[in-house]
Amino acid sequence: DAGITQSPRYKITETGRQVTLMCHQTWSHSYMFWYRQDLGHGLRLIYYSAAADITDKGEVPDGYVVSRSKTENFPLTLESATRSQTSVYFCASTSGYGNTIYFGEGSWLTVV
Amino acid sequence: AQKITQTQPGMFVQEKEAVTLDCTYDTSDPSYGLFWYKQPSSGEMIFLIYQGSYDQQNATEGRYSLNFQKARKSANLVISASQLGDSAMYFCAIESGSARQLTFGSGTQLTVLP
């Protein structure tokens, strides 16, 4: 029962580099999400997807790109990492309204 | 737009006692859901309990119950018989919108004292 997994779990990268965070879920959930959590704060939505090939911006999408060619995968790419993107990134998924929204273990990203 | 307010940045409770964590929300959607998540120091987000806006009864899951007062727009989490392992950050969140996205509060850090 793998559930929802993220990789890498920990990453240090340099300013200006491209970084991709992977998210994979085994439940065939329609909805997937990317959130970021900054120190001492709640989670903020970056991007979400209601189904394969359907994505939309959340509250803080600038500097990020997503794709969803397969239902089970939802990668998040930082095209040119900046220090302000140092954060913990959480992927989440759900089958729909009224159902539990499950989170991955988080990816700790540091941009130096 | 949706908003969640958690007014207690930190709380302390004695082991085996009950504790209430406050959450108020604001939304214009007629249909929404309220979630509580626990985030221990290890960082993962653990689902605790869910309440739909049309649910007539308050949700319960083991030692967790949700005191849902729709008219007051509040969804307080009650933890009965606190345990040391309950020490963590607790987040309230509202689910709304066509894609079921969550809006989170700023969290309450709960510390259970032996």
Side-chain angles (χ1 to χ4, degrees), chain B residues 48-106:
Chain B
L48 295 178
I49 197 166
Y50 169 83
Q51 178 89 38
S53 58
Y54 292 116
D55 293 341
Q56 296 296 318
Q57 291 190 328
N58 287 343
T60 60
E61 292 281 354
R63 293 186 300 110
Y64 305 106
S65 60
L66 204 153
N67 184 1
F68 182 50
Q69 298 187 45
K70 197 170 181 178
R72 293 186 175 185
K73 294 189 174 181
S74 73
N76 299 337
L77 176 70
V78 180
I79 305 175
S80 63
S82 297
Q83 302 172 355
L84 295 177
D86 293 334
S87 293
M89 180 72 85
Y90 289 79
F91 290 101
C92 180
I94 186 168
E95 172 198 43
S96 62
S98 59
R100 322 318 313 169
Q101 57 265 43
L102 291 173
T103 300
F104 284 83
S106 55

Side-chain angles (χ1 to χ4, degrees), chain A residues 63-83:
Chain A
Y64 303 95
V65 175
V66 294
S67 63
R68 195 164 176 210
S69 58
K70 293 184 178 181
T71 299
E72 61 266 30
N73 297 324
F74 191 38
L76 175 74
T77 298
L78 289 66
E79 294 187 299
S80 178
T82 64
R83 289 200 181 96

Side-chain angles (χ1 to χ4, degrees), chain A residues 21-41:
Chain A
L21 306 180
M22 304 299 294
C23 179
H24 175 78
Q25 50 102 357
T26 60
W27 296 304
S28 298
H29 284 168
S30 297
Y31 299 92
M32 295 189 75
F33 312 88
W34 275 106
Y35 292 88
R36 63 176 285 173
Q37 183 180 28
D38 300 308
L39 190 64
H41 290 84

